[in-house]
Amino acid sequence: MGAAAFCKTLTLADLTSASVLTLRQWYAEIIGHTPPQCASALFMRSNLAWVLQVRQERRDPDALRDKLARSLSRALRQTKPRHSPGTRLVRGWRGEVYEVTILPKGYLWQGREYRSLSRIALEITGAKWSGPRFFGLKGASS
């Protein structure tokens, strides 16, 4: 019996009552490779249940997983912190404290309007910085 046919006969209730050894066998047959050596029963049940549900919807689990991964990757790339006008950004640098106010279109620092936080960071430090990173809007790994 192929994996697709086997999935049609397997139920979520079967997963709940199955032993770890049985889950490992089903995982290998349905997913197509053995589970990680340290895989828990919960891990295997969750993955098997997902595959069963996807196949009940007549979808290909691998294609759906790839589509979800691409969608998540795209969403993470597009996510930009949005801060409301009036928000103040405060940064200490070499013993001085610098405060920038976010405007509807730009930033206010020392009474002057700027289009870019990076330009303000350049004026403060004398070096090219990512303005959002300098003011803590992006993490060190961003």
Side-chain angles (χ1 to χ4, degrees):
M1 179 183 305
F6 183 61
C7 277
K8 288 180 182 176
T9 63
L10 193 62
T11 66
L12 295 177
D14 295 331
L15 295 178
T16 304
S17 61
S19 69
V20 172
L21 181 60
T22 301
L23 288 170
R24 291 186 73 74
Q25 292 168 344
W26 289 347
Y27 190 101
E29 186 170 340
I30 293 170
I31 306 263
H33 58 84
T34 58
Q37 198 62 33
C38 60
S40 68
L42 177 61
F43 172 85
M44 292 184 284
R45 282 186 181 105
S46 298
N47 281 277
L48 288 166
W50 184 81
V51 170
L52 293 177
Q53 291 169 343
V54 169
R55 288 193 175 156
Q56 283 176 352
E57 295 292 323
R58 293 180 173 74
R59 304 284 303 265
D60 175 21
D62 294 330
L64 182 57
R65 185 178 293 110
D66 291 345
K67 182 178 179 180
L68 291 170
R70 283 191 309 273
S71 179
L72 176 62
S73 177
R74 209 172 24 255
L76 291 174
R77 279 194 312 269
Q78 293 173 355
T79 302
K80 294 180 183 175
R82 298 214 188 318
H83 301 280
S84 302
T87 300
R88 295 181 325 176
L89 307 174
V90 180
R91 171 67 150 90
W93 178 258
R94 297 196 174 163
E96 297 287 327
V97 176
Y98 298 93
E99 184 178 307
V100 173
T101 303
I102 297 178
L103 301 174
K105 291 187 178 182
Y107 307 91
L108 180 66
W109 178 59
Q110 293 186 335
R112 274 186 63 202
E113 288 188 28
Y114 293 81
R115 291 186 336 184
S116 159
L117 278 177
S118 297
R119 179 64 191 175
I120 298 169
L122 173 64
E123 291 197 22
I124 292 171
T125 66
K128 286 198 171 197
W129 273 77
S130 158
R133 187 170 177 182
F134 180 79
F135 284 98
L137 300 179
K138 285 188 177 181
S141 64
S142 296

